[in-house]
Amino acid sequence: MFANKPTLAGDRVTLVPVGPEHVEGLIELCDDPEVAKLTGSHTHNGIAPKAALEWYSTRGGHEDRLDLAIMAADGYVGEIVLNELDKDNLSCNLRIALVGARAFGKGYGTEAIRLVLGHAFATTPLHRIELGVYDFNDRAKHVYEKVGFVREGVLRDALLWEGQWYDSVTMSVLRTEWKPLS
């Protein structure tokens, strides 16, 4: 379903298939402690350069996922991924991560999500795209609601972070609800 790895252009960002040229950005993203908490990644040591290179070098060969680098005027600012494809039920998961403070609050994530949803609903038979967001991440929840995601439920105590439990909120957007920008 995701054999075609497109380039999607917006006003603020351009989404391009991830590749070895984006490894330094992935390392920066994985090394940021705030990003680690927002994504629930317990590997605080980031990602080894060799592992990052192998990961980004192999994403293009997967037809069951779409991994795109989010590029802005100042280069790589994050990644957005459609994964966990369920062909039988025409659904998948969306995951997005920005490099941290230098990318937050600039509209990059909002535009990247709109571009990916527009692409997915225009070029695939997908009916449902879901995501999970930790309840403390108000900024992300606001963005997801703004682009059309609807809160479906809560996974209680889904993340144990530095001795404290946090809920994960499940959200989705359906093809029938998606309203592309005119």
Side-chain angles (χ1 to χ4, degrees):
M1 190 167 304
F2 299 124
N4 175 34
K5 309 297 184 190
T7 294
L8 306 172
D11 294 332
R12 292 182 175 96
V13 298
T14 301
L15 309 181
V16 299
V18 297
E21 65 274 21
H22 305 115
V23 167
E24 286 184 26
L26 177 61
I27 291 169
E28 178 187 359
L29 188 148
C30 292
D31 282 347
D32 187 304
E34 183 177 7
V35 172
K37 182 177 181 183
L38 294 173
T39 60
S41 177
H42 288 286
T43 54
H44 296 285
N45 298 337
I47 188 170
K50 184 177 178 181
L53 178 61
E54 182 176 331
W55 183 255
Y56 267 6
S57 295
T58 59
R59 298 305 88 199
H62 294 267
E63 294 184 11
D64 63 342
R65 58 185 293 138
L66 178 62
D67 296 73
L68 300 172
I70 304 169
M71 306 298 292
D74 57 345
Y76 178 102
V77 294
E79 69 173 12
I80 187 164
V81 178
L82 293 176
N83 62 357
E84 300 176 15
L85 177 63
D86 180 343
K87 288 182 182 179
D88 294 329
N89 294 305
L90 299 176
S91 67
C92 71
N93 179 71
L94 182 140
R95 184 184 81 217
I96 184 170
L98 299 177
V99 294
R102 76 175 175 87
F104 293 158
K106 296 183 178 181
Y108 298 156
T110 301
E111 186 172 72
I113 295 167
R114 283 185 172 137
L115 288 168
V116 164
L117 292 178
H119 170 75
F121 288 137
T123 66
T124 75
L126 283 173
H127 174 71
R128 180 177 189 278
I129 299 175
E130 71 175 45
L131 58 81
V133 58
Y134 294 112
D135 198 41
F136 59 77
N137 193 345
D138 292 330
R139 180 177 54 230
K141 288 187 299 184
H142 171 75
V143 168
Y144 299 145
E145 289 169 350
K146 181 168 63 172
V147 300
F149 280 85
V150 175
R151 181 184 175 118
E152 294 184 327
V154 174
L155 302 174
R156 298 177 308 142
D157 289 354
L159 174 68
L160 177 60
W161 193 268
E162 297 178 349
Q164 185 171 348
W165 288 104
Y166 297 96
D167 294 343
S168 177
V169 177
T170 301
M171 303 177 82
S172 75
V173 61
L174 305 178
R175 171 184 294 279
T176 54
E177 300 167 339
W178 170 245
K179 295 177 179 66
L181 296 175
S182 309

